[in-house]
């Protein structure tokens, strides 16, 4: 009986830890996104973009992607406009584990301006990763045109002019951009080079996984439960 309960305890704790580690290691996201005028979606650590998800250069279409975001990773959205009429980043990100959704104007997004118009990394080639990662280093050091990572500026919501409605994105989502003028004006309206290309980032992995202390308490609780059952039955 002792061997039996020991193995039950082991399996229970093992399954619990497996479930926690799965949850802690990746968050499955579905994203619906478009940018006026073009973007590439990456993710990676605070210093290094490691994965390319996709890109597009046609604002009237919203693209959908699914990817597993490792814990504590950042989502990166590289954007560049055609310097005409308007510019903006519009998206919704849905956590498929919790159904929580956030948008392109969420206050936790940050943006940085590279001043490298025409050099936006838009594919998965080594040269693109090198370009992006060199700019992440400058942004993290605060030595680029925006002096590092700054708050984004939200423009009008999905459905507004000149874009109209992107039907696969909620009407709550707002077009967002970097404002190099810092004068309170809406940087999404009127063609203008706000020190493009831009990189948006958000760190969502840290907010959706258990704290180490709660994992420890949960594990200790399971071990205690196993010991209690053993004591009672033995
Ligand atoms: Ca598009
Ligand atoms: Ca434009």
């Amino acid at each position: 009986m002792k061997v039996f309960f020991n193995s039950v305890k082991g399996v229970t704790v093992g399954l619990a830890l497996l479930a926690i580690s799965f949850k802690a290691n990746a968050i499955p996201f579905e994203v619906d996104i478009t940018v006026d005028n073009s973007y590439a979606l990456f993710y990676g650590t605070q210093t290094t973009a490691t994965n390319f998800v996709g890109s597009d250069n046609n604002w009237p279409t919203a693209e959908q992607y699914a990817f597993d975001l490792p814990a504590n990773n950042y989502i990166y959205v590289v954007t560049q406009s055609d310097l005409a009429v308007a510019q903006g980043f519009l998206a919704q990100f849905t956590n498929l584990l919790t159904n929580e959704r956030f948008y392109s104007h969420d206050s936790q997004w940050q943006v940085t301006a590279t001043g490298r118009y025409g050099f936006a990394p838009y594919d998965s080639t080594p040269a693109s990763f090198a370009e992006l990662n060199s700019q992440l280093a400058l942004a993290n050091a605060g030595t680029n045109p925006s002096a590092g990572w700054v708050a984004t500026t939200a423009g009008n919501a999905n459905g507004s002019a000149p874009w109209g409605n992107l039907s696969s994105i909620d009407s709550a989502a707002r077009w967002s951009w970097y404002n190099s003028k810092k004068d309170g004006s809406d940087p999404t309206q009127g063609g203008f080079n706000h020190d493009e290309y831009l990189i948006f980032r958000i760190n969502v992995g840290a907010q959706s996984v258990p704290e180490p202390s709660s994992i420890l308490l949960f594990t200790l609780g399971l071990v205690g439960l196993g010991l209690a059952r053993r004591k009672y039955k033995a």
Side-chain angles (χ1 to χ4, degrees):
M1 288 302 283
K2 186 177 176 183
V3 171
F4 172 73
F5 280 109
N6 268 340
S7 56
V8 167
K9 180 183 74 182
V11 168
T12 304
V13 173
L15 285 175
L17 289 174
L18 187 67
I20 289 172
S21 67
F22 173 76
K23 190 179 178 187
N25 284 339
I27 302 169
F29 269 106
E30 183 176 277
V31 53
D32 299 275
I33 181 175
T34 196
V35 167
D36 179 350
N37 289 85
S38 57
Y39 71 87
L41 177 63
F42 296 84
Y43 61 86
T45 68
Q46 187 172 9
T47 58
T48 310
T50 56
N51 290 71
F52 170 81
V53 178
S55 67
D56 185 66
N57 61 3
N58 185 34
W59 69 259
T61 60
E63 291 71 50
Q64 185 174 82
Y65 307 99
F67 62 98
D68 292 334
L69 184 72
N72 300 317
N73 267 220
Y74 285 74
I75 296 169
Y76 293 106
V77 183
V78 174
T79 70
Q80 189 173 272
S81 80
D82 63 356
L83 312 182
V85 184
Q87 47 278 326
F89 159 46
L90 183 74
Q92 63 187 22
F93 291 77
T94 308
N95 179 329
L96 296 176
L97 276 181
T98 63
N99 283 324
E100 292 171 306
R101 178 171 286 177
F102 64 86
Y103 301 106
S104 39
H105 66 279
D106 187 289
S107 61
Q108 300 207 44
W109 283 99
Q110 295 177 303
V111 65
T112 201
T114 69
R116 287 177 55 76
Y117 188 84
F119 294 94
Y122 276 169
D123 56 34
S124 60
T125 61
S128 287
F129 277 101
E131 165 68 27
L132 177 53
N133 288 328
S134 69
Q135 292 304 313
L136 292 183
L138 292 175
N140 290 335
T143 52
N144 66 3
S146 58
W149 298 98
V150 299
T152 66
T153 301
N156 292 328
N158 183 23
S160 63
W163 305 284
N165 185 49
L166 277 291
S167 60
S168 61
I169 298 177
D170 292 350
S171 57
R174 296 169 67 182
W175 295 86
S176 297
W177 209 242
Y178 168 67
N179 189 352
S180 64
K181 299 175 180 175
K182 300 179 176 64
D183 60 358
S185 61
D186 181 350
T188 70
Q189 301 295 318
F192 187 80
N193 185 355
H194 289 277
D195 295 333
E196 299 177 15
Y197 67 92
L198 309 178
I199 308 168
F200 292 77
R201 76 171 185 183
I202 192 167
N203 181 14
V204 290
Q207 298 164 14
S208 303
V209 298
E211 294 293 318
S213 58
S214 58
I215 293 175
L216 181 63
L217 286 173
F218 184 54
T219 305
L220 286 174
L222 284 173
V223 170
L225 185 64
L227 289 174
R229 291 176 61 186
R230 196 174 131 200
K231 188 177 179 183
Y232 177 72
K233 292 285 187 182

